[in-house]
Amino acid sequence: ASQEHCKFFSMMSQGYLDQIRSDAGYERKKMVMETQFSPGQSVPEAIAPAGLRLFSRQVGRLTVSESGKALKCDVIKTEGPQPPIDDCSDLLGDRFEALGIEVGAVEATVARNIFIGD
């Protein structure tokens, strides 16, 4: 993922990060942030790395133009505590790999996961 895709995670408030630490018992824990993309409407499965568990997830439906520009994004599912971003508009304007299609735009699914654990 490009640095632009990290905006979602960098916009987390201190309160949200405190909630992650509180949930982890304020012990030093491992945290993994993951962004998944899937063509079409299939929602990728959140698979926690070994020793970690899913803490937070936001799934959005993304419309991408034939040139690879993100045009529209709507959140379709959330799990766990959410950062103070109630949509996925931070992806708008980003460019993804050109899709090589002739006409129109396509839909994709984007899932942003946070896993915590030992």
Side-chain angles (χ1 to χ4, degrees):
S2 72
Q3 287 189 356
E4 288 82 20
H5 300 156
C6 295
K7 285 188 281 189
F8 174 77
F9 299 116
S10 67
M11 292 171 68
M12 293 179 191
S13 70
Q14 187 61 47
Y16 182 70
L17 295 175
D18 286 344
Q19 188 173 2
I20 292 173
R21 282 195 290 279
S22 174
D23 190 70
Y26 285 94
E27 300 171 21
R28 187 175 179 94
K29 297 284 185 175
K30 183 175 182 180
M31 180 169 65
V32 173
M33 297 180 218
E34 170 185 71
T35 302
Q36 301 170 293
F37 291 90
S38 176
Q41 295 188 8
S42 65
V43 176
E45 184 179 352
I47 301 174
L52 303 181
R53 65 179 174 79
L54 182 65
F55 175 76
S56 177
R57 178 171 169 91
Q58 182 187 84
V59 179
R61 186 81 63 227
L62 184 66
T63 303
V64 181
S65 74
E66 62 273 13
S67 66
K69 183 178 178 184
L71 302 173
K72 180 181 176 188
C73 189
D74 297 306
V75 173
I76 59 170
K77 180 180 178 184
T78 61
E79 292 179 49
Q82 296 295 302
I85 306 167
D86 57 2
D87 61 20
C88 46
S89 61
D90 58 296
L91 292 174
L92 299 183
D94 281 357
R95 291 215 172 263
F96 298 86
E97 183 176 335
L99 301 172
I101 57 176
E102 306 258 338
V103 178
V106 296
E107 284 194 348
T109 302
V110 58
R112 300 189 277 195
N113 308 313
I114 298 175
F115 302 99
I116 62 170
D118 297 323

